Amino acid sequence: MPHVNPDTPPPSEPRGFDGVSHGYAPDGRPAQPPPVPLDKIVGDVVDNLSATAKAELALLEARSELALHGASWTAGWGAVAASAAGIAMLALAFGAILVLMPHVGPLLATLIVVAVLLAVAAFAGWRAQIAYNDIRTALRRDLTNEGIDD
């Protein structure tokens, strides 16, 4: 039995272009959809811009709430850390006085510990001033320092 392809026309009929398209449209050009009016296009653009602006504002609000949450917890835990450090410094100062008392007496031991703590405080204050100046420089509007900014 010979092999018969169902897409092949019988030998008596001429082969047509029914299954192949070479840019030929037998029914003419396809119908074009009607053009979209300009006011509809502009309305869609405005709606998209409005939605984008609302989304950006919502993102900014969410970021600010997250920053506020982080800042409040940072301040709270920072206060706990500062309190613990202060108490530790007091314990260190009392311990140093107690250790020095038998060697130099109570008054001189107290003065030595106070002088050392004042030196540490002065160093820390000097470093804080340098860090504060870095912040002021970073936030200055006139980075060339040609005008008065404060």
Side-chain angles (χ1 to χ4, degrees):
M1 177 173 197
H3 176 68
V4 177
N5 186 355
D7 294 333
T8 306
S12 63
E13 296 178 19
R15 185 171 176 99
F17 296 103
D18 54 348
V20 181
S21 172
H22 297 282
Y24 170 72
D27 297 333
R29 293 183 174 260
Q32 295 281 335
V36 179
L38 183 60
D39 60 345
K40 171 81 169 105
I41 294 172
V42 170
D44 289 345
V45 168
V46 168
D47 289 343
N48 287 341
L49 287 175
S50 174
T52 302
K54 287 177 183 175
E56 285 293 328
L57 288 175
L59 176 64
L60 285 174
E61 183 179 347
R63 290 179 69 184
S64 65
E65 287 177 12
L66 179 63
L68 177 63
H69 175 76
S72 63
W73 277 103
T74 300
W77 284 112
V80 169
S83 298
I87 292 168
M89 290 295 286
L90 282 172
L92 180 66
F94 287 136
I97 291 172
L98 291 174
V99 167
L100 289 174
M101 262 193 333
H103 303 289
V104 294
L107 181 61
L108 192 54
T110 302
L111 292 177
I112 291 171
V113 170
V114 167
V116 169
L117 288 177
L118 285 176
V120 169
F123 177 76
W126 172 68
R127 293 300 300 169
Q129 180 66 35
I130 290 173
Y132 176 72
N133 288 339
D134 289 344
I135 293 171
R136 286 184 57 205
T137 300
L139 297 178
R140 183 175 288 137
R141 281 181 273 154
D142 180 17
L143 293 178
T144 59
N145 205 15
E146 295 173 353
I148 297 174
D149 195 34
D150 293 332

